[in-house]
Amino acid sequence: TVQFLGNRGLTAVPVDLLPNLNWVALDNNEITVIRKLDFNNKYPNLDSLFIRNNKISSVERGCFKGTLLKQIILTGNLLDYFPDFHEVKETLERIEIQSNRISSIKPEDIDFLASLDNLDLAANPLACLPDLNQLLSSLIRLDLRSISFECCHKIAWMMDIDTLLIDDTPCHSPPPWKQISFSNINMTQLVETKCSAGELFVFIIHC
């Protein structure tokens, strides 16, 4: 069962969604928070949740218990941290959380997502990102477009991602690489380029 509730001026997730729904879209509303009481133990068949272009700044810890959530799309909200997905760690395969305000992701925020194969972090002000290739054994696709960073040994792991979506010239340093296409930089060059001490926008292993 599919339910479309976009463009309704909603300020909260409705309490009376269809009990047997699989897929729900709440795009283009005014929702500010996702609470445990919105989804926990209410929708046992729910596998897809779209809440794009709202005003979500908070997702309560422990959300989505009792669902089969495989994909969650939170593009275009106000989140400044990576939400807690422990309750769906076995089923969650796709997270799209682009165009939010997330500046840092720590290993413990994400390393339990055993089934995650598609992660979209584009257009976030990320200054700290761990080695996702090491932490996420199922990861196939990673979107880091509209993010610039220091191209150095601490991001060499990106070269091992099957499908890496990235700006053509994402390097803000070292200076000689600012105008060089990332496709023309190889693993050896990254590994041999040490990161600057005190650099504010470096993707580092331990955040």
Side-chain angles (χ1 to χ4, degrees):
T1 302
V2 175
Q3 194 167 11
F4 294 94
L5 294 170
N7 301 290
R8 302 288 182 92
L10 299 172
T11 57
V13 175
V15 298
D16 56 351
L17 298 175
L18 298 174
N20 61 338
L21 64 80
N22 304 98
W23 195 101
V24 60
L26 295 160
D27 300 333
N28 305 310
N29 282 295
E30 303 291 325
I31 298 169
T32 59
V33 62
I34 299 176
R35 303 162 298 174
K36 288 186 289 186
L37 61 84
D38 292 330
F39 294 101
N40 284 20
N41 299 315
K42 295 174 69 176
Y43 310 109
N45 298 316
L46 180 64
D47 63 35
S48 298
L49 175 59
F50 290 71
I51 313 187
R52 293 172 291 201
N53 303 319
N54 278 264
K55 296 180 179 179
I56 296 169
S57 60
S58 175
V59 178
E60 288 184 1
R61 294 189 64 83
C63 279
F64 314 116
K65 183 179 181 181
T67 72
L68 297 174
L69 200 63
K70 291 183 178 180
Q71 60 175 339
I72 183 167
I73 315 299
L74 290 163
T75 296
N77 281 286
L78 304 175
L79 288 165
D80 61 7
Y81 64 93
F82 195 82
D84 170 39
F85 294 116
H86 275 88
E87 294 295 343
V88 286
K89 64 182 180 180
E90 303 296 335
T91 60
L92 196 58
E93 298 174 357
R94 176 186 180 197
I95 298 172
E96 290 192 12
I97 199 165
Q98 66 173 284
S99 300
N100 276 265
R101 300 177 177 180
I102 300 169
S103 61
S104 176
I105 297 177
K106 298 179 180 179
E108 56 268 28
D109 295 333
I110 205 166
D111 62 2
F112 53 88
L113 295 170
S115 300
L116 189 68
D117 59 29
N118 190 328
L119 178 60
D120 185 344
L121 298 169
N124 278 285
L126 279 167
C128 183
L129 190 71
D131 181 345
L132 298 181
N133 199 50
Q134 181 182 52
L135 296 173
L136 300 172
S137 59
S138 298
L139 187 64
I140 295 173
R141 181 183 181 276
L142 176 64
D143 193 339
L144 296 174
R145 287 175 291 187
S146 298
I147 299 172
S148 63
F149 43 86
E150 183 180 19
C151 293
C152 58
H153 71 282
K154 290 179 180 177
I155 68 159
W157 59 266
M158 291 183 191
M159 293 290 188
D160 291 326
I161 301 294
D162 288 351
T163 302
L164 176 66
L165 302 179
I166 201 167
D167 290 348
D168 184 55
T169 54
C171 305
H172 68 68
S173 64
W177 288 4
K178 285 185 177 181
Q179 303 303 318
I180 295 179
S181 172
F182 197 74
S183 62
N184 291 328
I185 300 172
N186 60 46
M187 174 74 82
T188 300
Q189 289 174 300
L190 285 176
V191 170
E192 293 179 350
T193 302
K194 299 302 180 184
C195 298
S196 303
E199 176 62 61
L200 292 178
F201 299 101
V202 177
F203 283 60
I204 60 177
I205 301 301
H206 298 295
C207 300

